[in-house]
């Protein structure tokens, strides 16, 4: 398949390397300009953002939420048959407290509204380290799972297949409006669950408690924490 990625942070970079390793064609861009890719540990072909959207099957957006409105003019040029997948998560300290989300709008619904296009929510509920280092072959016992949400069944199935190929079981997280169940502050978020565990975690999610628990987790983070520390803190917070 042919992938375009906008965003070369930890998630976008990890996905680029896995896709290239699996034989896919990948172009990767920064939302600003190609110079911002210098020195980044990425795979695929670095291109300008105008070029990343041409001749692709899937466009992955791995950007802070507050950046999304700035790429609307680019998204307007994306072919109607291209799947657009959003990997982002909302953090008020970084994204400047988006009013609609603070009032309860689902994060990826807000993103879809900003872009003027239907999207699939994917690759958002695992840490970048997990994504890059903890994928395993299909059928492996204890395989980590990832949630995929969206309103187009065929597009969602494509992303489910991609997730499986990159080393993770996929769980259908429902419609885009249901994607809050995999947002920060929920039991499905960054807790490295198996498929069966993730299904239950999505059911247990509490929309009102999620922002409170998200912020509680952030308060516990400190310099020098390991990946295992972060997963443990998430699990303990959501199970308390």
């Amino acid at each position: 398949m042919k992938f375009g990625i906008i965003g070369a942070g930890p998630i976008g970079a990890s996905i680029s390397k896995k896709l290239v390793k699996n034989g896919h064609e990948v172009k990767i861009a920064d939302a600003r300009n190609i110079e911002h890719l210098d020195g980044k540990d990425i795979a695929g072909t670095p291109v300008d953002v105008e070029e990343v959207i041409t001749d692709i099957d899937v466009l992955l957006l791995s950007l802070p939420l507050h950046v999304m409105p700035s790429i609307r003019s680019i998204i307007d040029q994306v072919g109607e048959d291209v799947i657009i997948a959003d990997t982002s998560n909302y953090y008020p300290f970084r994204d400047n407290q988006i009013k609609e989300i603070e009032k309860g709008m689902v994060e990826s619904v807000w993103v879809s509204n900003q872009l003027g296009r239907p999207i699939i929510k994917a690759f958002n509920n695992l840490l970048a380290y997990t994504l890059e280092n903890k994928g395993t072959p299909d059928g492996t016992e204890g395989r980590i799972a990832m949630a995929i949400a969206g309103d187009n069944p065929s597009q969602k199935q494509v992303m489910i297949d991609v997730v499986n190929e990159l080393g993770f079981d996929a769980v259908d997280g429902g419609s885009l409006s249901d994607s809050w169940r995999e947002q920060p502050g929920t039991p499905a978020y960054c807790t490295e669950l198996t498929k069966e565990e993730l299904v239950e975690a999505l059911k247990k999610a509490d929309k009102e408690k999620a922002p409170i628990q998200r912020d509680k987790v952030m308060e516990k983070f400190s310099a020098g924490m390991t990946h295992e520390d972060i997963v443990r803190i998430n699990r303990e917070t959501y199970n308390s």
Side-chain angles (χ1 to χ4, degrees), residues 82-98:
V82 173
I83 300 169
I84 300 178
D86 168 34
T87 77
S88 62
N89 293 295
Y90 173 60
Y91 283 97
F93 72 89
R94 179 194 63 192
D95 296 311
N96 306 317
Q97 288 207 339
I98 297 168

Side-chain angles (χ1 to χ4, degrees), residues 3 5 7-28 39-45 60 123 128-129 131-133 162 165-168:
F3 291 82
I5 302 174
I11 296 293
S14 295
I15 295 173
S16 74
K17 288 182 280 189
K18 279 184 165 282
L19 288 172
V20 169
K21 184 177 180 181
N22 279 273
H24 298 290
E25 293 183 34
V26 177
K27 295 184 290 185
I28 186 165
K40 294 287 185 71
D41 183 19
I42 58 175
T45 304
L60 298 172
F123 292 107
Y129 180 93
L131 181 60
E132 184 164 2
N133 298 290
V162 170
E165 181 186 331
L166 298 191
F168 302 90

Side-chain angles (χ1 to χ4, degrees), residues 5-9 27-38 40 42 45-52 62-64 67 70-71 74:
I5 302 174
I6 303 179
K27 295 184 290 185
I28 186 165
D30 187 276
R32 295 159 293 185
N33 56 58
I34 195 169
E35 285 76 19
H36 283 87
L37 296 177
D38 291 347
K40 294 287 185 71
I42 58 175
T45 304
V47 296
D48 286 314
V49 70
E50 291 82 7
E51 186 179 345
V52 80
S62 191
L63 299 165
V67 175
S70 71
I71 65 168
I74 297 296

Side-chain angles (χ1 to χ4, degrees), residues 18 134-138 143-144 162-169:
K18 279 184 165 282
K134 304 191 79 171
T136 54
D138 191 8
R143 196 184 198 208
I144 296 170
V162 170
V163 164
N164 183 60
E165 181 186 331
L166 298 191
F168 302 90
D169 281 340

